[in-house]
Amino acid sequence: MTSPFFADIDPIRFEGRDSDNPLAFRWYDAEHVVRGRTMAEHLRFGVCYWHSFAWDGSDIFGAGTLDRPWNPASRTGDATMTPMNAAKLKMEAAFEFFEKLGAPFFSFHDIDIAPAGANFAETVRNLDEMIDEAEGHMERTGTKLLWGTTNAFSHPRFMSGAATNPDPDLFKYAAAQVAHCMNATHRLGGANYVLWGGREGYDSLLNTDMGRELDQLARFLHMVVEHKHAIGFDGTILIEPKPMEPTKHQYDYDSATVAGFLRKHGLEDEIKVNIEVNHATLSGHDFHHEVATAVNEGIFGSIDANSGDDRLGWDLDRFPVSVEQMSLGMLEILRGGGFTTGGLMFDTKLRRQSIERDDLFHGHIGGMDVMAKALLVADSLMDELDEQRDDRYSGWADAQHILNGEATLQQLHDQVLSDESFDPEPSSGRQELLENLVNRRIDQVR
Ligand code: XLS
Ligand code: NI
Ligand code: NI
């Protein structure tokens, strides 16, 4: 491996709208202030370790295509490339990338950064050693941890789930793994800890007791929350909803499903959601619907900023490309007051044919510029839209007694019956006018 890994790339800078340099930001100006916060503070960009460094480009039909010399398939024949040395090389390249891109955060699964050992004890020894390495890199580069998470879905032992496994030994194994990874996340000062229910779901009710599995999941999450308080971790615990894949039906279907589940089990003040754009698409919702639902439920936490495809119904994890889609999402994030511990994590994959080293930069630069422009569009729209929206509901100012419980159905009936002139006039929803406004702002922001 040539060192440094991205030797041909200089740190990425903001060069403004007129720059033709493909390796520069045109919209993401970290220090630019919007509504009292810098863009960096609003957007809190993170790079994911798994797709960007651990994944080699393989898909269900074919082998890896990407140049990732630390991966097992590329290491054959090189005796110095032990699994731990490979993990260290991978980490050097990852931090080189975070630093050159200027992303303030990263995220990882335990298995992305450290190789599995022969048993659990050896696995966590490897992880602890790599956490030491990460600590050094973080100090050196100033990169921070947006979230840590546990991969309790890839290994065959988890084929029937982790917390929702019919076998309590698997629940135990997952508990041990999550406890250790939470400790590691805490050590690195992580802002959040994410639980994506990889295989927490089912393929067939012929062999699945859904009620039992959901109760197991609730107990597991209570244990996670208890552990968080026991170790003094002050980050946010986040569930990442997804409706399907890899199981046919995932229990954390969408924001609304998670909100109901949390409330049923008394977890609504302890756990929030990490909304992934592509998962929203898979659940049949718009991204902005998922954000608005979570804000409304008081559980909005963080975003996995990627995108799907209109015609391919699976988790493609493309880099965000649509300014309109992301503007509507950013609008709901701004309306909700913005991020606290959360941020925009690029849970994004290169296309399998994007095999040049700089392709990873182009993906992230494009994604960051799209989100930065979306922030500006959302900012320019919010007050005007909110004013028009409030206006639509202005009649309620004189009808608060209805919402306060001071009126009965019978009373409303009697009032309508007795007032012969009562004949409500519909008024226009003005959707097309507002859609045109959005497109105008996308053209106008500078
Ligand atoms: C998979 C999920 C995964 C989580 C982290 O679809 O998006 O990547 O973000 O486990
Ligand atoms: Ni994700
Ligand atoms: Ni996903």
Side-chain angles (χ1 to χ4, degrees), residues 50 147 240 274 276 279 304 306 347:
W50 50 104
W147 43 268
E240 184 174 323
N274 180 40
E276 178 163 316
H279 297 181
D304 276 5
N306 58 19
D347 188 353

Side-chain angles (χ1 to χ4, degrees), residues 277-383:
V277 182
N278 203 160
H279 297 181
T281 306
L282 290 176
S283 68
H285 298 307
D286 289 325
F287 167 45
H288 54 274
H289 167 89
E290 282 294 90
V291 176
T293 300
V295 167
N296 192 38
E297 295 284 354
I299 57 167
F300 175 68
S302 199
I303 298 290
D304 276 5
N306 58 19
S307 70
D309 184 282
D310 292 342
R311 281 170 299 109
L312 295 179
W314 46 296
D315 202 2
L316 290 172
D317 298 321
R318 290 165 63 219
F319 283 88
V321 287
S322 164
V323 175
E324 187 206 1
Q325 181 189 31
M326 296 302 156
S327 297
L328 299 180
M330 282 311 300
L331 174 64
E332 298 310 319
I333 293 172
L334 278 188
R335 279 173 163 168
F339 291 117
T340 52
T341 61
L344 294 170
M345 164 58 49
F346 287 111
D347 188 353
T348 41
K349 279 198 196 91
L350 288 170
R351 294 309 88 192
R352 195 166 169 265
Q353 300 177 53
S354 303
I355 59 173
E356 295 292 341
R357 290 190 184 176
D358 65 358
D359 284 324
L360 197 59
F361 281 90
H362 293 300
H364 285 86
I365 290 169
M368 289 163 81
D369 267 348
V370 164
M371 298 312 303
K373 182 168 183 185
L375 171 68
L376 296 177
V377 173
D379 167 53
S380 78
L381 284 167
M382 187 164 91
D383 297 336

Side-chain angles (χ1 to χ4, degrees), residues 43-214:
L43 300 168
R44 295 169 60 82
F45 286 125
V47 175
C48 85
Y49 215 99
W50 50 104
H51 295 321
S52 297
F53 300 98
W55 177 63
D56 64 2
S58 55
D59 68 10
I60 45 173
F61 298 105
T65 55
L66 303 180
D67 166 26
R68 300 287 182 266
W70 43 79
N71 276 335
S74 315
R75 287 192 334 245
T76 43
D78 182 349
T80 63
M81 274 280 231
T82 61
M84 280 304 277
N85 282 345
K88 286 173 190 172
L89 273 181
K90 175 168 40 166
M91 190 169 275
E92 266 171 41
F95 277 88
E96 185 197 348
F97 182 79
F98 307 152
E99 197 180 16
K100 285 186 169 168
L101 182 67
F105 293 99
F106 76 108
S107 292
F108 69 88
H109 296 85
D110 41 8
I111 70 159
D112 302 331
I113 63 172
N119 52 31
F120 185 70
E122 195 187 331
T123 299
V124 296
R125 260 200 314 278
N126 290 348
L127 181 62
D128 289 344
E129 193 179 331
M130 290 310 299
I131 293 292
D132 289 341
E133 290 276 313
E135 222 166 19
H137 285 295
M138 288 170 71
E139 222 163 278
R140 181 176 56 76
T141 61
T143 312
K144 295 187 288 295
L145 179 62
L146 190 63
W147 43 268
T149 189
T150 307
N151 181 323
F153 46 88
S154 291
H155 194 281
R157 71 170 69 87
F158 293 120
M159 69 178 186
S160 308
T164 62
N165 202 294
D167 178 352
D169 281 349
L170 273 301
F171 184 105
K172 272 189 219 167
Y173 201 103
Q177 213 182 316
V178 168
H180 205 92
C181 192
M182 284 178 75
N183 297 349
T185 301
H186 181 38
R187 245 183 78 196
L188 296 180
N192 307 273
Y193 186 83
V194 165
L195 297 137
W196 170 56
R199 292 186 193 272
E200 314 293 30
Y202 67 83
D203 290 324
S204 169
L205 283 177
L206 295 175
N207 62 10
T208 302
D209 184 337
M210 181 161 53
R212 255 178 194 275
E213 294 199 357
L214 285 165

